[in-house]
Amino acid sequence: MIEVATPEVPLVVERAEEPKANYAANVAPIKKEFLIEAPIQPEPPVVSEGNGEAAKEKKKEDRRDKRGMNKDRKRDMARTETKIRASAVRLCPSVNSSGDVKCKYGDKCTSEHDIPTFLAMKPSDIADKCPVYEANGKCRFSYACRFGNAHLGPNQEQLEKESQGTAGEVRNHHSMHIQVAMRKRAYDFSRSDEAVAEIQPGGSLHQGAMEWEKRKLDMKSLKGKKYLAPLTTVGNLPFRRLCVELGAEITCGEMAVATSLLMGTPSEWSLVKRHSSEKIFGVQMAGGYPDTMSKAAQILVDDFDVDFIDVNLGCPIDVVNQKGGGCALAARTSKLIDVLKSMRYVMKDVPLTIKLRTGLKENDLTADKTLRSVLERVPIDLVDFHPRSKEQRYTKVARWDFVERISQATEEVPLWVCGDVFSYEDYYERLEKNPIDGIVIGRGALIKPWIFTEIDEKRHWDITAGERIEMLQKFVNYGLDHWGSDDTGVEKTRRFLLELLSFQCRYIPVGLLERLPQRINDRPPFYTGRSEMETLLSSSRCSDWVEISKMFLGPPPDQFVFIPKHKASSY
């Protein structure tokens, strides 16, 4: 049974041509034969709390607790992951290494060194085929692989075969020496230091007179290409790889925080990795200060394979804004100009792009004024505009009526817009009716990655449950190739598969709708699919997502916990 929360405030979609009498506002028009009666939920007990100020404050606090991002989930999930790792048997990497390598921990090592003992204690294999072995001809996790029997010989030797050449190459993975240099403060930042000195009063950059290098990629030449937005948490390399296969032409990595990059944080450096199938790839950064942003940009330009760098001026998350980045930086024009000037100074011929929202408050539209001030002083190569405010986050419809004012502010600079594009009809209608160069697709790609194929073929794809399962299998295979096929890699792949399912459950199959296209903010009434699998894929319950993950990755560990990113069903 599909359980979807009813929104507290109905959202009105501003599309005059849509018939209003056919269905209620913000409710998906599902055919009657697929509707089911909603289960009667018991009323919660009502507790009288009086009418004082304390009672009002408590009610406000309760409302805040029931909606928005679950800020405790990372901590709670990390604790569980630590317990699972501590209780699992692990094979020492020295055993898996080729050649005679001694364990550097000696007698203090807590991992297993005897292969027969490890294989006896290891959990049973998930399947008789290893995706990494099938694609690469050799599995780098050998005995520790959860699909290990697929590449074990009769005498427990590791088997090798000719590579199928389907895995491709991962670039920008050579960051270990950069991480070490960051921790030892040994990286040469003379060019960045010069840039920061130049933007101070009296410097030539501050006066605005400087010759800028010709870009290695003309961003105007990208007009009309399909751009997958940078998506925090869910825009990982395996997901981008899947979207490229389905038709995405421009991709951008998840938001990386400049200060974390400079600290040499491995998890942050993993965000700049690029698959060889990503033909046009950018790195998105967040930060609030010229020195940190220019230093991080210098490293990316000098040591990594990136086509452009995007500055996130639209992140509404408090932890980013409190450190001067995201929407907070866009609101401080003079600081923003200094950040962009210092970055432009060190980036040589690599294009610099920015992403921003309408402003901080819903009814205070300041983005056009900000852009005019910035573009007069810094040569920006592309503007990505999200027509919502920081206050809105993702609620209510995107303000496409504000795009005209933004286009007047950007003038010759390419303008791309993202917001509520969920079908090929939305895509081509927005392109035709607005003075823009392209559209960036975010949530629409998370809910249905095949939107890029629909745009190419100009059709609504009534995708079957079986075809959706095949796509999820590809994502799992790409995840195992990226994160690994040992215990840690399998569970990390499971975690990101569940993150993806938390979005894909919002997709309503084309054959179930009375009217097309589905609108991105429409919430479905209780309904059933055309098959058990279609119904399961539409479930909004975490337990059902875990059941789907078992099809690809076997049962999770006993202590496994997955907490959705949002406490409420956020559309």
Side-chain angles (χ1 to χ4, degrees), residues 291-302:
D291 56 345
T292 55
M293 291 291 279
S294 61
K295 288 177 179 178
Q298 179 186 330
I299 298 172
L300 292 173
V301 169
D302 291 352

PDB file of all heavy atoms in Angstrom, residues 291-302:
ATOM      1  N   ASP A 291      40.578  33.693  -0.165  1.00  0.00           N
ATOM      2  CA  ASP A 291      41.792  32.873  -0.051  1.00  0.00           C
ATOM      3  C   ASP A 291      41.497  31.386  -0.187  1.00  0.00           C
ATOM      4  O   ASP A 291      42.155  30.676  -0.943  1.00  0.00           O
ATOM      5  CB  ASP A 291      42.525  33.177   1.262  1.00  0.00           C
ATOM      6  CG  ASP A 291      41.648  32.991   2.486  1.00  0.00           C
ATOM      7  OD1 ASP A 291      40.410  32.901   2.334  1.00  0.00           O
ATOM      8  OD2 ASP A 291      42.191  32.924   3.604  1.00  0.00           O
ATOM      9  N   THR A 292      40.474  30.886   0.520  1.00  0.00           N
ATOM     10  CA  THR A 292      40.174  29.451   0.460  1.00  0.00           C
ATOM     11  C   THR A 292      39.618  29.054  -0.908  1.00  0.00           C
ATOM     12  O   THR A 292      39.985  28.017  -1.466  1.00  0.00           O
ATOM     13  CB  THR A 292      39.179  29.055   1.555  1.00  0.00           C
ATOM     14  OG1 THR A 292      38.005  29.880   1.453  1.00  0.00           O
ATOM     15  CG2 THR A 292      39.793  29.242   2.929  1.00  0.00           C
ATOM     16  N   MET A 293      38.744  29.893  -1.473  1.00  0.00           N
ATOM     17  CA  MET A 293      38.144  29.553  -2.767  1.00  0.00           C
ATOM     18  C   MET A 293      39.180  29.593  -3.892  1.00  0.00           C
ATOM     19  O   MET A 293      39.176  28.742  -4.786  1.00  0.00           O
ATOM     20  CB  MET A 293      36.991  30.502  -3.065  1.00  0.00           C
ATOM     21  CG  MET A 293      35.777  30.320  -2.152  1.00  0.00           C
ATOM     22  SD  MET A 293      34.913  28.761  -2.443  1.00  0.00           S
ATOM     23  CE  MET A 293      33.930  29.189  -3.871  1.00  0.00           C
ATOM     24  N   SER A 294      40.084  30.562  -3.861  1.00  0.00           N
ATOM     25  CA  SER A 294      41.099  30.644  -4.919  1.00  0.00           C
ATOM     26  C   SER A 294      42.118  29.517  -4.793  1.00  0.00           C
ATOM     27  O   SER A 294      42.571  28.963  -5.808  1.00  0.00           O
ATOM     28  CB  SER A 294      41.802  32.006  -4.872  1.00  0.00           C
ATOM     29  OG  SER A 294      42.471  32.200  -3.641  1.00  0.00           O
ATOM     30  N   LYS A 295      42.477  29.142  -3.572  1.00  0.00           N
ATOM     31  CA  LYS A 295      43.425  28.041  -3.389  1.00  0.00           C
ATOM     32  C   LYS A 295      42.839  26.716  -3.879  1.00  0.00           C
ATOM     33  O   LYS A 295      43.517  25.931  -4.555  1.00  0.00           O
ATOM     34  CB  LYS A 295      43.836  27.945  -1.922  1.00  0.00           C
ATOM     35  CG  LYS A 295      44.759  29.069  -1.469  1.00  0.00           C
ATOM     36  CD  LYS A 295      45.077  28.946   0.017  1.00  0.00           C
ATOM     37  CE  LYS A 295      46.018  30.078   0.454  1.00  0.00           C
ATOM     38  NZ  LYS A 295      46.324  30.038   1.905  1.00  0.00           N
ATOM     39  N   ALA A 296      41.577  26.468  -3.517  1.00  0.00           N
ATOM     40  CA  ALA A 296      40.932  25.232  -3.970  1.00  0.00           C
ATOM     41  C   ALA A 296      40.801  25.224  -5.494  1.00  0.00           C
ATOM     42  O   ALA A 296      41.020  24.193  -6.144  1.00  0.00           O
ATOM     43  CB  ALA A 296      39.560  25.092  -3.310  1.00  0.00           C
ATOM     44  N   ALA A 297      40.462  26.377  -6.074  1.00  0.00           N
ATOM     45  CA  ALA A 297      40.349  26.467  -7.528  1.00  0.00           C
ATOM     46  C   ALA A 297      41.692  26.237  -8.204  1.00  0.00           C
ATOM     47  O   ALA A 297      41.775  25.579  -9.250  1.00  0.00           O
ATOM     48  CB  ALA A 297      39.787  27.843  -7.923  1.00  0.00           C
ATOM     49  N   GLN A 298      42.761  26.754  -7.609  1.00  0.00           N
ATOM     50  CA  GLN A 298      44.096  26.560  -8.184  1.00  0.00           C
ATOM     51  C   GLN A 298      44.462  25.086  -8.240  1.00  0.00           C
ATOM     52  O   GLN A 298      44.990  24.597  -9.251  1.00  0.00           O
ATOM     53  CB  GLN A 298      45.139  27.321  -7.362  1.00  0.00           C
ATOM     54  CG  GLN A 298      46.557  27.146  -7.902  1.00  0.00           C
ATOM     55  CD  GLN A 298      47.613  27.777  -7.012  1.00  0.00           C
ATOM     56  OE1 GLN A 298      47.345  28.774  -6.335  1.00  0.00           O
ATOM     57  NE2 GLN A 298      48.808  27.198  -6.994  1.00  0.00           N
ATOM     58  N   ILE A 299      44.174  24.356  -7.177  1.00  0.00           N
ATOM     59  CA  ILE A 299      44.486  22.918  -7.166  1.00  0.00           C
ATOM     60  C   ILE A 299      43.705  22.192  -8.266  1.00  0.00           C
ATOM     61  O   ILE A 299      44.255  21.373  -9.010  1.00  0.00           O
ATOM     62  CB  ILE A 299      44.149  22.301  -5.795  1.00  0.00           C
ATOM     63  CG1 ILE A 299      44.999  22.934  -4.693  1.00  0.00           C
ATOM     64  CG2 ILE A 299      44.372  20.795  -5.811  1.00  0.00           C
ATOM     65  CD1 ILE A 299      44.591  22.515  -3.304  1.00  0.00           C
ATOM     66  N   LEU A 300      42.407  22.490  -8.375  1.00  0.00           N
ATOM     67  CA  LEU A 300      41.568  21.809  -9.357  1.00  0.00           C
ATOM     68  C   LEU A 300      42.039  22.084 -10.787  1.00  0.00           C
ATOM     69  O   LEU A 300      42.062  21.190 -11.629  1.00  0.00           O
ATOM     70  CB  LEU A 300      40.111  22.254  -9.187  1.00  0.00           C
ATOM     71  CG  LEU A 300      39.416  21.805  -7.903  1.00  0.00           C
ATOM     72  CD1 LEU A 300      38.043  22.446  -7.774  1.00  0.00           C
ATOM     73  CD2 LEU A 300      39.293  20.284  -7.846  1.00  0.00           C
ATOM     74  N   VAL A 301      42.434  23.318 -11.045  1.00  0.00           N
ATOM     75  CA  VAL A 301      42.877  23.695 -12.390  1.00  0.00           C
ATOM     76  C   VAL A 301      44.244  23.090 -12.718  1.00  0.00           C
ATOM     77  O   VAL A 301      44.477  22.602 -13.827  1.00  0.00           O
ATOM     78  CB  VAL A 301      42.920  25.228 -12.516  1.00  0.00           C
ATOM     79  CG1 VAL A 301      43.624  25.643 -13.803  1.00  0.00           C
ATOM     80  CG2 VAL A 301      41.515  25.796 -12.489  1.00  0.00           C
ATOM     81  N   ASP A 302      45.155  23.097 -11.739  1.00  0.00           N
ATOM     82  CA  ASP A 302      46.526  22.648 -11.992  1.00  0.00           C
ATOM     83  C   ASP A 302      46.684  21.131 -12.010  1.00  0.00           C
ATOM     84  O   ASP A 302      47.520  20.600 -12.740  1.00  0.00           O
ATOM     85  CB  ASP A 302      47.469  23.233 -10.935  1.00  0.00           C
ATOM     86  CG  ASP A 302      47.645  24.739 -11.082  1.00  0.00           C
ATOM     87  OD1 ASP A 302      47.163  25.290 -12.086  1.00  0.00           O
ATOM     88  OD2 ASP A 302      48.255  25.357 -10.183  1.00  0.00           O
TER      89      ASP A 302
END
